[in-house]
Amino acid sequence: MTNTDHTPPAQPVSPSEIPDAAIAMINADGTVAAWTQAAEQLVGYSAAEVVGRSAAHVLSPPEEARRVLLFADQCRAQSGWSGTAAVRHRDGHTLRMSLRVSLLWGRNAGTRWLVSVTDIGALSSGPANGPVRESLLAHAPIGIVVYDPQLRCTWVNDAMEHHDGTPRDRRFGRRIKDSLPAMEAEALEVVMRQVLQSGTTMVHEYRAWPPSDGRREHAFSASFFCLQDADGAAMGVCSMTVDATGNRRARERLAILSEASTRIGSTLDVMQTGQELAELAVPLLADHVVVDLVDSVPFGLEPAARIGTTSGRRPVLRRAGVASIDQGVLESPALREEVIHVPPASSFAAVLGTGRSHLEPVLDTHAGPWVDHDPTRAQKVRDSGVHSLMVVPIRARRCVLGLAVFGRSKEPTPFQEDDLLLAEELVTRAALCLDNALQYARERTAALTLQRDLLPHHVQGGAAVEVASRYVPADMDHGVGGDWFDVIELSGARVALVVGDVVGHGINAAATMGRLRTAVRTLADLDLPPDELLAHLDDTVRWLNDEDGDVADHVPAIVGATCLYAIYDPVTRRCTLARAGHPPPLIVDAQGRVTVPDLPAGAPLGLGLGLVPFESVELDLPEGSVLAFYSDGLIESRDEDIDVGLRRLGAALAQPGASLEDLCSRAMKTLPARASADDVTLLLARTRALKPAQVASWDLPNDLVTVPTARHLAVRQLRQWGLEPLVTPVESIVSELVTNAIRHGGGPSRLRLIRHRVLTCEVSDTTTGQPRSRHPRTLDEHGRGLYLVARLSRRWGSRSAADGKVVWAEHDLPSTAGAA
C-alpha cells in the first residue's frame, strides 16, 4: 500500500522469519576471519576449527580446490556472487546451499568477504515469508555493516548507502546513531548488545526515509549475527539490512485479495457484486470507486466482445457500484442504477473498445475530452480533488462487461503500475462472479422460458370440471424445477387431470418435464385407465434413463419423477385416480369439509421399483366437489412436518362458495415468507355433472336386424334435442358403429348419445379387440366403415372398458359447426 494513512502497523517478527543463514567473514587471502553459531550448526565446524584457516580447505572437497580458486577469481572480478553451491559438512556429506558472497570495505580501502549460506532444503520445507529470506532468494540488495564490540562500524558494503544515504567513508569508526534518527538507532543498538551477549541471531524492523525515494517512508528489516573469533568469543556484530517495503506491500495486497474472495460475489445479483467491489476497494486501494456495467448485463444479457463507437452511438452503461471516503463526492451526477452515456473520445470509451486498462497517474481535468464531452463530470472531478485515475475493464470470456474506475484525492501518492496490477486482480475476481451470475441468469431464463412454453397456457375442463391453476418457479438459489400439470379432455365428456414433478432443477429438469408431459398426453389419447397409464409412463422414464446411460460420461436426464393421474366422468360422477410417489389430492366437498382419499402411494417413476403394479381407486364425487392437485413444494418445509403443510393447505381451501381463483390465491398465501427451494404447482378442479336429459342410452341385441332400430332411436333423440341438422351424419355413424359391434363382437351391445359441448356417439360391446381403420382396395366390399366414420366426425377412437371396449365418435353441434 502506498497510502500510509491506511497502512497497518508493523507486525512483530515471528521466530519462523528469523533467517537461519550461516555467516562467515573471510579475509582477502581466503582465510576465515570470523564465524557464527548458525554456521557451526549448519556445517558442523566450530569457530576454533575454522577461524584462521582457509575457507576453501574447510568447506569444499579436496578434489575441487582448482574450481574453488576459479570461483574466488570470479567473485573478485564481479565484486560478489550469488547462487547455489555444494558445501561439505564436517562429517563428510555434501549440502546443497544457497550461497551469497558480498564484498565489504574497510578503512584504507581494505577488503573482506561476507559469505551467507542457507540450506535450500530447510528453505523448501520451512516458512518462506521472512523478509530477509525472501531477499536472499530474490537476490535483493542487502546492506551489510560489521560493528566492533563498541558498536562502531569497521566494515560495510556499497548497498548500505542506498538504505540510509551515508557514504562508507563517513561511516567508519562511527555508531549507528550517526546514520539513523536517535530513537531508531537506540533500539537497534539495544538489539546488537543482546546479540553480543547471547550469541544468537535477532531481527528488528524499523522505518526510515531513504534518499532514493523521499516521497514515502520505507520499512526495513535488519538481521544481526554475532561474529566469533578462534576462541569462540564475540568479536563483533554483523548487520544485514533489507528494504522490506515491497514485501510488506505484497502481504497487504495478499490480504486485500484474500478479503476479496469472501466479500465479492456473495450473491448472484450482478448489481450487488458491483457494489461489493467498490466497497472493498475503498479505502484499501483508492479514495473513490465507481463500477459501471454494460446496460444489458443487469438484465442477464451478455454484451458484445468489444463495445465500439463506430456507429456513432455512445456506449451505454448502468452504474452498479459507488463507494467513496466522502460519499457526497460521488452522489451526483450519477447514482446507482442510473444510465451512464460514455463520451466517445474519452479514456472510458477507449477501455471499452480495446479491453485494456488505462492508468493516468496525474489527471488533467482542465483540458481534453473531460471538458469537451462532459464538462459537468469534469467539474465534479475537479471539486472532488481526484488527481490520479485508473480505468479497468471488467472482462469475462473475452467480453467486456463494464468498467471499474479508481480515483485518489486524499492520498497524495499517484497510482503506479503495481496499483494497477492489484486493481486488475480485484476486477478479475469480480468479473468471475459477474460471469457466474450471468450464466446462471441465462440458464434460469432459458429454463423458465422452456418450462412456461411446455406448460399449458390455458386449461379448461369442458363439461366435466371448472379448473384454475397456479405455478410459482423456484427461487434464484435453486433454479427452475420440473413441475408440470395438465387438463386433457377425453371422449364421452370425461376429463383427465394430471400433476407431476421431475427430480432436480434447471433446464434439464424443465426439458424432461416437457418430455413426460408429451408422453402423458400421448398415453391419455389412448384412453388408458390411470393405473395402466402410469405403468406405461414408468416404462418410458426407465427407457429414457437407459438411453442416456448408454452415452459415456453422461448423467441421466431423469433420476426420478412423481405423478398423479385422475379421470373424472361427469355422466357417472365417478373419479378414478392412481399415483406414482406423488402426494395425494385433497377433496373439498360443497360444505367445505376436506378429506384425503386412501390412495396407494405407488413407486416413483424411473426408479426400477415397478414390480408392484400401480393401483387405481374409484370415488363418487358429488357435483361441486373440489379436487386439489399440488406438488410437494406447496406443503413441504424444512422447518415443519408435511402434515402441518397439508393442514394449512386444507384450511385455505375449506371455503364453501369461493371461486377457484380465490382459492388458488389463498393457497399461495400459505407459502412461507422465504423463497421456496422447489417449484410450487396447484391445480384445482370443481366437478360438474351432466343432467340426465343430456344422456340417452339403449341396449341392443347381437343381431344385424337391430341396426335400423339403432338408427331410428338415434334420429328420434336428435330431434328431441333439436339437433335435426345432425340427423344425416349421425345416422350414418350409428349405422357403421353398431354394424361393426354386431359383426365383430361376441355379445349384446349398447348405444349411448351424450350431448355436451359436442355430440358424442358411443357403441360398446363385450370384446377387447380394438378397431383398426383400413385402406380397402377398389373391389373390396368391406373395410370402409371406419373410414366413413372418420370423414363424418370431428374425431373418433376407442377405449377399454371393464367388460369390453367402447368405440366412439364426436360431432360438432350445429352452432359450433356453423362457426367453423
Side-chain angles (χ1 to χ4, degrees):
M1 272 294 300
T2 57
N3 188 344
T4 56
D5 290 342
H6 306 296
T7 301
Q11 299 296 323
V13 179
S14 66
S16 62
E17 289 186 327
I18 297 176
D20 51 4
I23 302 297
M25 192 161 64
I26 301 176
N27 293 321
D29 60 0
T31 59
V32 178
W35 199 244
T36 61
Q37 288 185 1
E40 180 179 352
Q41 295 172 358
L42 185 64
V43 298
Y45 291 98
S46 65
E49 295 174 296
V50 174
V51 175
R53 302 182 61 184
S54 170
H57 175 74
V58 174
L59 299 179
S60 62
E63 62 272 13
E64 295 197 9
R66 178 177 176 79
R67 185 178 299 178
V68 170
L69 293 176
L70 294 176
F71 172 70
D73 293 338
Q74 180 182 0
C75 291
R76 293 189 186 97
Q78 299 178 356
S79 299
W81 183 88
S82 62
T84 59
V87 176
R88 180 166 57 92
H89 192 273
R90 188 176 187 278
D91 61 11
H93 73 275
T94 301
L95 302 172
R96 187 168 177 267
M97 298 290 182
S98 173
L99 186 70
R100 183 165 188 146
V101 181
S102 303
L103 177 63
L104 302 181
W105 296 93
R107 291 181 181 274
N108 303 322
T111 60
R112 278 186 176 180
W113 301 94
L114 190 83
V115 180
S116 59
V117 184
T118 307
D119 187 352
I120 293 180
L123 286 177
S124 61
S125 60
N129 58 347
V132 174
R133 180 176 297 167
E134 290 175 353
S135 300
L136 285 173
L137 294 178
H139 300 164
I142 300 179
I144 302 175
V145 184
V146 176
Y147 301 91
D148 62 16
Q150 288 72 41
L151 303 184
R152 295 171 299 192
C153 174
T154 56
W155 301 90
V156 64
N157 72 340
D158 291 333
M160 194 61 198
E161 183 177 347
H162 297 286
H163 292 337
D164 56 19
T166 303
R168 68 169 182 258
D169 292 338
R170 291 176 50 192
R171 196 185 297 267
F172 295 125
R174 300 184 180 185
R175 294 167 60 174
I176 197 171
K177 65 181 180 180
D178 298 319
S179 303
L180 291 176
M183 183 177 297
E184 296 292 352
E186 182 178 354
L188 290 174
E189 288 191 351
V190 168
V191 174
M192 287 192 287
R193 292 190 183 95
Q194 292 175 352
V195 170
L196 285 172
Q197 294 174 1
S198 63
T200 58
T201 301
M202 299 187 70
V203 177
H204 182 77
E205 291 190 357
Y206 64 94
R207 291 180 176 272
W209 296 78
S212 59
D213 185 8
R215 297 176 302 173
R216 59 180 177 176
E217 190 179 43
H218 283 226
F220 292 92
S221 178
S223 301
F224 299 95
F225 306 85
C226 181
L227 299 177
Q228 298 175 335
D229 59 16
D231 298 328
M235 59 176 293
V237 178
C238 174
S239 166
M240 300 179 67
T241 304
V242 294
D243 188 341
T245 306
N247 295 323
R248 181 180 299 278
R249 287 167 58 83
R251 290 196 294 269
E252 292 168 356
R253 291 168 186 272
L254 287 175
I256 294 174
L257 295 177
S258 176
E259 191 172 357
S261 63
T262 59
R263 289 180 54 182
I264 298 179
S266 61
T267 69
L268 289 171
D269 183 349
V270 294
M271 301 294 281
Q272 179 63 26
T273 300
Q275 182 63 28
E276 290 169 349
L277 170 61
E279 291 177 352
L280 174 67
V282 175
L284 296 178
L285 177 61
D287 298 329
H288 317 282
V289 176
V290 295
V291 178
D292 296 333
L293 299 178
V294 177
D295 194 39
S296 61
V297 171
F299 301 99
L301 301 177
E302 186 176 276
R306 294 288 183 268
I307 305 172
T309 57
T310 56
S311 62
R313 297 173 57 187
R314 290 186 175 189
V316 178
L317 305 177
R318 189 173 295 271
R319 183 134 297 171
V322 178
S324 173
I325 56 173
D326 180 9
Q327 192 60 41
V329 172
L330 298 178
E331 286 182 353
S332 81
L335 302 174
R336 281 197 69 201
E337 301 187 4
E338 286 193 11
V339 173
I340 309 296
H341 295 278
V342 180
S346 66
S347 57
F348 308 110
V351 172
L352 287 172
T354 62
R356 293 192 293 271
S357 300
H358 173 75
L359 172 62
E360 210 164 333
V362 180
L363 182 63
D364 184 6
T365 59
H366 296 276
W370 283 94
V371 179
D372 298 340
H373 296 282
D374 200 343
T376 303
R377 179 179 293 182
Q379 183 60 45
K380 193 67 180 178
V381 173
R382 284 195 292 268
D383 295 342
S384 70
V386 173
H387 60 81
S388 188
L389 192 74
M390 295 187 297
V391 185
V392 180
I394 303 173
R395 295 175 296 181
R397 292 186 294 114
R398 296 183 294 181
C399 291
V400 178
L401 305 181
L403 299 174
V405 183
F406 303 82
R408 276 184 176 169
S409 59
K410 182 179 179 181
E411 163 59 38
T413 306
F415 285 124
Q416 301 176 6
E417 289 293 337
D418 55 350
D419 296 310
L420 182 61
L421 292 175
L422 177 59
E424 288 177 335
E425 180 63 26
L426 288 176
V427 171
T428 297
R429 300 194 177 202
L432 291 175
C433 299
L434 289 171
D435 188 52
N436 289 338
L438 273 178
Q439 292 188 58
Y440 176 83
R442 284 194 298 270
E443 180 176 337
R444 187 172 188 272
T445 299
L448 277 173
T449 302
L450 176 63
Q451 190 171 36
R452 286 168 180 165
D453 286 344
L454 293 175
L455 288 173
H457 297 280
H458 177 67
V459 291
Q460 54 185 5
V465 292
E466 172 195 358
V467 293
S469 62
R470 291 289 189 276
Y471 166 71
V472 179
D475 65 348
M476 288 289 289
D477 292 333
H478 296 83
V480 179
D483 285 14
W484 89 92
F485 64 93
D486 213 343
V487 180
I488 308 168
E489 293 188 60
L490 304 176
S491 62
R494 298 169 307 133
V495 66
L497 304 168
V498 58
V499 64
D501 186 2
V502 175
V503 174
H505 298 88
I507 196 167
N508 287 337
T512 299
M513 174 272 291
R515 298 166 80 178
L516 293 189
R517 178 172 178 251
T518 301
V520 170
R521 276 195 161 264
T522 302
L523 295 171
D525 193 52
L526 299 177
D527 240 330
L528 297 175
D531 54 343
E532 292 186 27
L533 183 141
L534 291 180
H536 285 289
L537 189 63
D538 183 53
D539 291 338
T540 300
V541 173
R542 283 189 288 165
W543 175 78
L544 291 174
N545 282 338
D546 291 341
E547 184 182 57
D548 291 335
D550 293 337
V551 181
D553 300 328
H554 188 276
V555 179
I558 310 174
V559 178
T562 64
C563 185
L564 171 62
Y565 186 83
I567 296 177
Y568 174 69
D569 187 344
V571 176
T572 63
R573 299 189 303 278
R574 295 186 69 81
C575 183
T576 307
L577 310 94
R579 61 182 177 132
H582 201 82
L586 298 183
I587 300 177
V588 186
D589 64 18
Q591 289 73 40
R593 291 187 294 267
V594 180
T595 59
V596 180
D598 185 11
L599 183 62
L605 303 171
L607 299 184
L609 304 177
L611 297 178
V612 179
F614 299 102
E615 297 182 49
S616 292
V617 172
E618 282 194 357
L619 304 174
D620 289 319
L621 296 179
E623 184 176 5
S625 300
V626 175
L627 283 164
F629 296 77
Y630 52 89
S631 62
D632 52 10
L634 185 58
I635 61 171
E636 284 188 351
S637 172
R638 295 178 181 176
D639 305 325
E640 297 176 340
D641 188 76
I642 190 171
D643 291 337
V644 177
L646 274 175
R647 288 194 296 269
R648 186 172 57 242
L649 176 59
L653 299 178
Q655 304 297 323
S659 69
L660 294 185
E661 290 294 334
D662 289 343
L663 292 179
C664 283
S665 299
R666 289 178 60 87
M668 289 298 106
K669 291 179 181 178
T670 65
L671 290 172
R674 59 180 176 80
S676 174
D678 199 359
D679 288 3
V680 174
T681 302
L682 176 64
L683 175 64
L684 299 182
R686 178 173 278 134
T687 61
R688 294 167 174 160
L690 294 184
K691 297 179 176 59
Q694 293 179 267
V695 181
S697 61
W698 305 273
D699 292 325
L700 304 175
N702 190 27
D703 194 332
L704 288 176
V705 298
T706 62
V707 174
T709 303
R711 288 201 301 265
H712 172 73
L713 293 172
V715 170
R716 185 179 66 184
Q717 187 62 51
L718 291 176
R719 286 175 177 160
Q720 289 179 2
W721 284 338
L723 301 178
E724 286 82 359
L726 302 186
V727 167
T728 299
V730 172
E731 189 177 17
S732 299
I733 291 173
V734 169
S735 178
E736 294 299 333
L737 294 183
V738 172
T739 299
N740 282 345
I742 293 173
R743 284 182 173 174
H744 305 293
S749 57
R750 184 176 181 82
L751 171 64
R752 183 168 74 163
L753 298 180
I754 304 173
R755 180 178 181 269
H756 50 109
R757 293 200 307 168
V758 296
L759 179 70
T760 301
C761 176
E762 296 181 346
V763 176
S764 57
D765 59 53
T766 58
T767 61
T768 58
Q770 299 296 324
R772 182 167 55 90
S773 182
R774 296 189 300 165
H775 296 280
R777 291 172 297 205
T778 304
L779 300 179
D780 287 349
E781 297 181 1
H782 304 286
R784 295 179 176 84
L786 292 179
Y787 174 76
L788 180 61
V789 170
R791 292 299 301 270
L792 293 175
S793 61
R794 65 191 300 265
R795 63 173 188 154
W796 76 277
S798 65
R799 65 178 183 269
S800 299
D803 53 355
K805 69 173 181 298
V806 177
V807 183
W808 53 269
E810 293 179 349
H811 201 290
D812 291 319
L813 298 178
S815 59
T816 306

